Amino acid sequence: MPPASVGPQRSSPGVAAPASRDPLGFASRRRRQWRWLLTLAALTLGVTVLGVCLGAVSVPPGTVLSVLLDRAAPALATQATAGDGASASERAIVADVRAPRVLLGLAVGAGLAVCGVALQAMVRNLLADPYLLGINSGASTGAAAAILFGVGAGLGQHALSGSAFVGALAASALVLAVARAGGRVTSVRLLMAGVAVGYALYAATSFLVFASDSAEGARSVMFWLLGSLSAARWGSPLLSVVVIVLLTVTLLALASRRLDALALGDETAHALGIDPTALRVRLLVVVSLCVGVVVAAAGSIGFVGLVVPHLARRLVGAAHRWVVPAAALLGACFLVAADLVARTLLAPQEIPIGIVTALVGAPFLLLLVRRLQPGA
Amino acid sequence: MIEARGVSHAYGQQPVLDDVDLVAPPGQVTGLIGPNGSGKTTLLRTLHAQLRPRAGTVLLDGSELGRLRPREVARRLAVVVQEPPSELPLVAADLVLLGRTPHRSGPGLGGMRARDEQVAANALQRVDAGHLAQRPVAELSGGERQRVLIARALAQEPDYLLLDEPTNHLDVRYQHELMTLVASLGVTVVVVLHDLNLAAAYCHHLVLLDGGRRVAAGDPAEVLEPAVLEAVYQVPVRRLELDGRLHLVLGRPRTRVIR
């Protein structure tokens, strides 16, 4: 049977509005969005330089550049920086301590921020983040088990992140399974399940720490609770964090249209040809992997996944093709800046970075909550 | 052609659809009417594969709906459902552009091509909402929002448009504006309606459901028989013809209570 015909545009090409160069008013918005992305990229670069230069001992940018160049490409650097005056301790501080630490900060911040973006779209709730859904607690439990009891020792140096990923995935799978019981996943069920699982795993982590009866374990509770970048060293664990975060950002950016649809509602997503449940499961695996690896490397740092997406949306709008890159840059920026504060505020003593992110994030969140529309 | 054959469904043990047949005539507006709980929305949901019926089949252009990939369905069939508005501050143009999703293969990076934006812009013009393009969806009035949702459906360039009570929460003027718009689109429409007078005015074909069963189907003059409607809705019904159009007066015009 011939089709009844009729898509509006196909049936009426003659009366279609004249082609305009900016039919939806996107062009001016796009300029603004690009401007913001470039600004954020420049800001990230600036914060990165500051992060490497500043600290208990300040090193001038020129010296930093020559030291890093020297490390990265010795042959090239020897000519360019002949007569360079970096001392051995400056070299060590810049190349072995601060550079990996700043790199870890960039990766952790970007990773937590985009995971927040993904979760908020998934559960259609702007207050969602890895903590609220228990994914972080799962990662902590896995990582604590690996440290205290040698779980996953067969994985070698990836035991920690591997175990954290398994914990995060188990937590998110449990949350999803509980939320799914009896039919479709709804936002309310997902959030409630996340809170319940999060508390249970938080208790499990605490129990593991107490049961292990080790001073090392007791110290690490602080780490799991408030996070720290001080463990950053060059090596494959750092590399794996960077690679996984880059992969996560890329995957989420590629899924941006599906994230938009999912954020509008399951029926709407379905009506647009997307299977919301399958998409949610895939996103949860990606988010678990990213959160697991990040928590294993830097502990539990709060508020990044919650606050950064809000801020990113204010800058570039809600469409995920803009929010994902903006949140990644903003998160990277925010975390490196927070770490800078954490290690300079009471220098030479370091405070846990989670304190800084909470001090910045909590008032900001209160402001956002006040601005939420009634009933939202 | 969209067609339901012997569709039955139940939520748990509660039957909601019992052996319902439906054929939506091409290019016309088919209305699904019936009291609350009669299965209208459930039937509509089986028509867009949101719900797989326990028995019976739904055919889209002759192929079984359950066997088509969601994307293939979305290229031919668009749906306007009532979902609570998203918290995300998307603007109307973002929402309408999402209607191009089923036509875009590959990654969602970088947004849409110029043609997609043109189609979305035309769809917004079509529902007379071009000026709303950069307005946040959450700030739109009920009528504006409904028009933007229809624009998103039109951006899918569908052959079929399914709507679930699109006139809900709209005042009388917007109800008529919206139904005039829907009837003028030229696509095959299936619409769930509460208001029998709107159904009489804008539908070419009606299916009356009661308790999950199809009670009557045909053109409005056949289906909107006072005797049938009184039995289904349990209220007195009078039918008037004004200026050649059919109107129904429902409710309790006299003090006598009809049981």
Side-chain angles (χ1 to χ4, degrees):
Chain A
M1 174 173 299
S5 203
V6 300
Q9 279 70 31
R10 272 170 282 156
S11 63
S12 53
V15 296
S20 140
R21 296 184 64 188
D22 185 20
L24 294 172
F26 272 143
S28 63
R29 200 172 74 142
R30 213 170 266 146
R31 273 195 294 278
R32 204 179 68 229
Q33 287 162 327
W34 273 117
R35 232 181 356 250
W36 270 119
L37 282 192
L38 291 176
T39 307
L40 289 176
L43 212 60
T44 307
L45 198 67
V47 170
T48 303
V49 171
L50 282 182
V52 181
C53 293
L54 299 182
V57 178
S58 289
V59 182
T63 312
V64 166
L65 199 66
S66 69
V67 168
L68 290 182
L69 217 67
D70 190 37
R71 272 302 164 92
L76 221 146
T78 39
Q79 290 150 10
T81 61
D84 153 65
S87 70
S89 71
E90 278 179 337
R91 282 174 187 279
I93 287 172
V94 168
D96 297 328
V97 178
R98 289 205 195 138
R101 183 171 182 144
V102 167
L103 184 61
L104 180 65
L106 291 170
V108 166
L112 288 175
V114 295
C115 284
V117 169
L119 287 170
Q120 288 172 15
M122 279 167 67
V123 303
R124 222 161 290 136
N125 189 313
L126 295 189
L127 299 180
D129 83 335
Y131 297 80
L132 197 53
L133 295 195
I135 301 174
N136 194 76
S137 304
S140 295
T141 307
I147 289 179
L148 299 172
F149 301 103
V151 171
L155 290 168
Q157 58 186 352
H158 294 296
L160 195 57
S161 12
S163 183
F165 164 55
V166 170
L169 193 61
S172 52
L174 181 59
V175 169
L176 206 71
V178 172
R180 269 185 68 86
R184 299 190 309 143
V185 181
T186 64
S187 298
V188 174
R189 293 175 77 124
L190 202 59
L191 282 172
M192 296 297 277
V195 169
V197 169
Y199 272 113
L201 287 170
Y202 174 67
T205 308
S206 307
F207 178 77
L208 285 181
V209 168
F210 278 104
S212 79
D213 193 29
S214 81
E216 167 64 22
R219 267 206 305 281
S220 62
V221 171
M222 188 73 109
F223 176 74
W224 297 129
L225 225 56
L226 293 168
S228 168
L229 299 181
S230 60
R233 298 284 178 275
W234 291 118
S236 59
L238 176 61
L239 187 70
S240 68
V241 177
V242 172
V243 168
I244 297 278
V245 167
L246 283 177
L247 209 66
T248 304
V249 173
T250 310
L251 284 175
L252 292 179
L254 292 178
S256 59
R257 214 181 300 129
R258 276 166 286 168
L259 285 172
D260 285 344
L262 191 65
L264 288 172
D266 278 15
E267 289 216 29
T268 302
H270 191 271
L272 293 172
I274 293 159
D275 179 345
T277 306
L279 177 58
R280 214 180 249 123
V281 169
R282 259 178 269 156
L283 286 172
L284 216 53
V285 171
V286 171
V287 166
S288 304
L289 183 61
C290 188
V291 170
V293 171
V294 161
V295 168
S300 305
I301 301 173
F303 284 98
V304 182
L306 199 56
V307 169
V308 169
H310 285 263
L311 207 54
R313 280 191 206 96
R314 293 193 79 84
L315 299 181
V316 297
H320 283 91
R321 64 181 173 279
W322 296 101
V323 172
V324 170
L329 289 171
L330 202 58
C333 223
F334 176 56
L335 208 78
V336 172
D339 184 51
L340 196 56
V341 173
R343 61 194 162 85
T344 52
L345 194 65
L346 298 181
Q349 209 196 338
E350 227 178 75
I351 59 174
I353 187 170
I355 293 177
V356 181
T357 58
L359 281 178
V360 176
F364 189 79
L365 182 66
L366 283 177
L367 270 178
L368 285 175
V369 170
R370 264 183 67 86
R371 280 191 198 165
L372 280 182
Q373 286 165 355
Chain B
M1 174 81 89
I2 189 162
E3 189 178 354
R5 287 186 188 159
V7 166
S8 299
H9 194 69
Y11 293 126
Q13 295 299 310
Q14 184 72 36
V16 278
L17 284 179
D18 183 7
D19 196 20
V20 175
D21 292 334
L22 174 144
V23 177
Q28 297 197 343
V29 179
T30 297
L32 301 184
I33 54 174
N36 288 336
S38 59
K40 308 182 293 285
T41 295
T42 305
L43 178 59
L44 194 82
R45 293 179 68 189
T46 66
L47 294 183
H48 59 92
Q50 176 68 40
L51 195 70
R52 192 177 283 247
R54 293 215 176 153
T57 51
V58 176
L59 299 176
L60 184 66
D61 297 329
S63 18
E64 212 175 303
L65 195 59
R67 290 169 189 257
L68 294 172
R69 291 158 53 88
R71 235 165 85 129
E72 290 174 45
V73 176
R75 282 180 189 171
R76 289 186 241 169
L77 184 149
V79 190
V80 176
V81 288
Q82 308 296 321
E83 283 198 286
S86 168
E87 285 183 28
L88 293 183
L90 285 169
V91 298
D94 288 327
L95 198 71
V96 176
L97 210 47
L98 271 179
R100 299 303 299 159
T101 306
H103 296 279
R104 289 269 64 84
S105 56
L109 195 69
M112 305 280 176
R113 300 199 193 111
R115 185 184 123 71
D116 295 311
E117 294 199 0
Q118 194 60 53
V119 170
N122 289 351
L124 263 177
Q125 293 293 342
R126 190 96 184 263
V127 300
D128 199 18
H131 59 291
L132 302 176
Q134 289 296 321
R135 287 265 304 278
V137 178
E139 293 174 13
L140 300 179
S141 73
E144 289 171 338
R145 202 177 117 74
Q146 212 56 268
R147 296 211 311 266
V148 168
L149 287 177
I150 289 177
R152 189 191 66 210
L154 291 181
Q156 285 175 250
E157 298 186 307
D159 297 325
Y160 307 95
L161 177 60
L162 273 48
L163 304 110
D164 189 3
E165 293 184 19
T167 56
N168 253 10
H169 310 304
L170 298 189
D171 68 31
V172 179
R173 180 185 137 208
Y174 281 125
Q175 290 184 6
H176 284 274
E177 272 188 20
L178 193 93
M179 288 309 294
T180 304
L181 170 71
V182 166
S184 72
L185 295 175
V187 299
T188 304
V189 174
V190 180
V191 53
V192 169
L193 283 174
H194 254 306
D195 188 322
L196 297 179
N197 281 309
L198 281 179
Y202 295 100
C203 295
H204 305 106
H205 183 77
L206 288 179
V207 174
L208 174 62
L209 296 174
D210 186 27
R213 290 172 165 276
R214 194 181 83 172
V215 178
D219 65 50
E222 289 167 23
V223 173
L224 298 174
E225 270 298 327
V228 177
L229 294 177
E230 285 187 353
V232 169
Y233 284 92
Q234 313 260 304
V235 291
V237 176
R238 284 184 68 195
R239 181 162 140 169
L240 314 169
E241 301 243 349
L242 288 178
D243 304 329
R245 286 178 59 177
L246 197 160
H247 294 268
L248 297 168
V249 181
L250 303 114
R252 265 167 50 182
R254 287 152 297 195
T255 51
R256 188 165 61 92
V257 175
I258 293 192
R259 295 180 59 85

